[in-house]
């Protein structure tokens, strides 16, 4: 097993665009030849686009892009720019008079920092597609991770900076990677040690608290926890999968969330995982699931480690 770039997966491109003043942005993962796809939505407050198409019972077999966006439900507007970009390149599902690009996506809530009036829009989605052709991508406070934050049980005053992480690996000829925008209500855990590495700050902000312990201790309180949550991501592989198998891999990949985020899948998180499979390599679906979980874990950790301070929200990289 060795680490590779996500763009080493043939046919896959990734691009970001963001507004740091607005503390928001979007990330697009393109597969112009089409990818068999699946999705699993576990959180109680999701914001998604075209996920019904990924049901194996429905017609469409392949998608052409996944959008990960900030801006809450407003951020779904960025998909229009992706649609325009792909239609101009004559990429999409042939309906006779034109080709309709199949763009699925999900959003996270980042309106609590920066300028809430600035959201990912059609122009930002189009620009993210253009940036995908640079074949050079960054992580951390960029794209959908620009306004991401974590550890928000006590409000933004005690939160830390989240971000977007990307990790990809290869075993033999099998390639699998993950892109995750980490914006959870809870804390981020190192799965190798079980220790909290970032999340809610303690009372004097000298170190880390423990969100789960606080919530359990205050179990009678009906707190308004909607401070800006949801972790969204995609698993990308060159494996040959059916739509049903892609949906199963999306379900398994949520184990990566559960191993690194505590608590995960809450009623105020819209935690979502997409899967894109380019279909070039035969592989045991169980092995693809195992590797998907590993890729998601690593992407989450990298998203936290690569983030930097923004609008007075501290990042782990700048804490002593």
């Amino acid at each position: 097993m060795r680490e590779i770039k996500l763009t080493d997966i043939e046919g896959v491109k990734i691009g970001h665009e963001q507004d740091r003043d607005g503390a928001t942005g979007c990330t697009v993962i393109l597969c112009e030849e089409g990818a068999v796809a699946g999705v699993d939505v576990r959180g109680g407050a999701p914001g998604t686009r075209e996920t019904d198409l990924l049901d194996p019972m429905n017609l469409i077999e392949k998608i052409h892009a996944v959008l990960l966006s900030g801006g809450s439900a407003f951020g779904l507007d960025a998909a229009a720019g992706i649609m325009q970009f792909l239609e101009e390149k004559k990429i999409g599902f042939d309906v006779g008079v034109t080709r309709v690009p199949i763009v699925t996506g999900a959003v996270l809530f980042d309106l609590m920092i920066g300028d809430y009036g600035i959201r990912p829009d059609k122009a930002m989605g189009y620009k993210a597609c253009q940036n995908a052709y640079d074949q050079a991508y960054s992580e951390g406070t960029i794209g959908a991770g620009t306004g991401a934050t974590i550890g928000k049980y006590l409000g933004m005053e005690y939160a830390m900076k989240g971000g977007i992480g990307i990790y990809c690996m290869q075993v033999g000829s099998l390639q699998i990677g993950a892109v995750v925008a980490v914006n959870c209500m809870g804390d981020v855990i190192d799965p190798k040690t079980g220790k909290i590495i970032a999340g809610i700050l303690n009372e004097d902000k000298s170190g880390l608290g423990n969100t789960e312990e606080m919530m359990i201790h205050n179990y009678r309180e009906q707190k308004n926890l909607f401070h800006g949550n949801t972790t969204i991501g995609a698993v990308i592989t060159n494996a040959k999968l059916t739509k049903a198998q892609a949906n199963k891999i999306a379900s398994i990949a949520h184990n990566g969330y559960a191993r690194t985020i505590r608590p995960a899948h809450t009623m105020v998180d819209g935690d979502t995982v997409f899967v894109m499979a380019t279909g070039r390599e035969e592989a045991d679906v169980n092995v693809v699931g195992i590797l998907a979980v590993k890729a998601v874990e690593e992407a989450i950790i990298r998203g936290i480690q690569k983030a930097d301070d923004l609008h007075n929200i501290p990042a782990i990289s700048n804490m002593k």
Side-chain angles (χ1 to χ4, degrees):
M1 186 186 302
R2 62 186 178 88
E3 184 177 352
I4 61 173
K5 294 181 179 179
L6 185 72
T7 49
D8 287 339
I9 300 177
E10 187 176 352
V12 172
K13 297 179 176 66
I14 180 170
H16 307 291
E17 183 59 15
Q18 57 284 316
D19 186 310
R20 287 180 68 91
D21 291 333
T24 195
C26 67
T27 296
V28 61
I29 306 155
L30 299 175
C31 186
E32 296 175 350
E33 296 177 10
V36 173
V39 67
D40 193 336
V41 181
R42 295 282 181 92
T48 57
R49 182 184 195 276
E50 297 279 43
T51 52
D52 284 351
L53 286 178
L54 306 186
D55 186 324
M57 295 290 290
N58 292 333
L59 173 65
I60 295 297
E61 287 296 324
K62 293 185 177 183
I63 68 170
H64 305 98
V66 167
L67 165 69
L68 305 177
S69 182
S72 189
F74 299 108
L76 291 173
D77 285 351
I82 303 169
M83 295 276 290
Q84 178 184 338
F85 182 88
L86 291 174
E87 186 185 26
E88 289 174 355
K89 293 177 68 65
K90 296 180 170 53
I91 293 167
F93 183 75
D94 190 352
V95 295
V97 294
T98 188
R99 290 183 176 272
V100 178
I102 307 302
V103 180
T104 62
V107 294
L108 55 80
F109 189 104
D110 58 5
L111 304 181
M112 300 299 289
I113 69 170
D115 183 347
Y116 74 91
I118 297 174
R119 297 94 179 236
D121 57 11
K122 183 177 181 179
M124 190 177 284
Y126 192 94
K127 182 63 175 175
C129 290
Q130 291 179 317
N131 292 341
Y133 281 76
D134 293 340
Q135 290 301 86
Y137 57 81
S138 300
E139 300 170 81
T141 306
I142 193 169
T146 303
T149 50
I150 62 174
K152 289 163 280 192
Y153 179 67
L154 296 178
M156 297 302 294
E157 182 181 355
Y158 294 93
M160 287 184 65
K161 193 70 186 68
I164 197 163
I166 303 170
Y167 184 82
C168 194
M169 71 188 91
Q170 181 162 334
V171 180
S173 299
L174 177 63
Q175 299 168 317
I176 188 162
V179 181
V180 184
V182 189
N183 187 59
C184 51
M185 186 269 287
D187 306 317
V188 173
I189 312 298
D190 182 344
K192 298 179 178 66
T193 64
K195 293 182 179 180
I196 298 172
I197 60 172
I200 197 166
L201 298 172
N202 59 21
E203 188 174 351
D204 62 6
K205 302 181 184 178
S206 62
L208 297 171
N210 185 311
T211 296
E212 284 193 332
E213 288 184 0
M214 290 181 187
M215 293 180 70
I216 292 168
H217 179 74
N218 298 309
Y219 73 94
R220 289 184 181 274
E221 294 186 19
Q222 299 294 320
K223 291 175 67 69
N224 176 14
L225 301 176
F226 203 77
H227 297 299
N229 309 303
T230 295
T231 295
I232 51 177
V235 170
I236 305 95
T237 180
N238 68 345
K240 292 182 180 178
L241 299 176
T242 64
K243 282 177 73 176
Q245 289 172 331
N247 277 278
K248 183 60 177 177
I249 296 300
S251 176
I252 294 170
H254 271 282
N255 290 344
Y257 285 15
R259 291 180 185 179
T260 53
I261 299 170
R262 295 181 189 169
H265 309 132
T266 73
M267 291 300 293
V268 292
D269 288 286
D271 297 343
T272 299
V273 177
F274 293 95
V275 167
M276 304 173 75
T278 63
R280 288 179 168 83
E281 184 69 17
E282 295 283 355
D284 179 353
V285 68
N286 297 293
V287 175
V288 175
I290 291 169
L291 294 175
V293 173
K294 290 182 179 294
V296 168
E297 288 179 3
E298 293 291 341
I300 290 172
I301 299 300
R302 289 175 68 98
I304 298 303
Q305 292 175 336
K306 299 288 186 178
D308 58 86
D309 298 358
L310 187 66
H311 293 285
N312 299 315
I313 305 294
I316 188 175
S317 60
N318 293 321
M319 290 187 70
K320 295 180 180 180

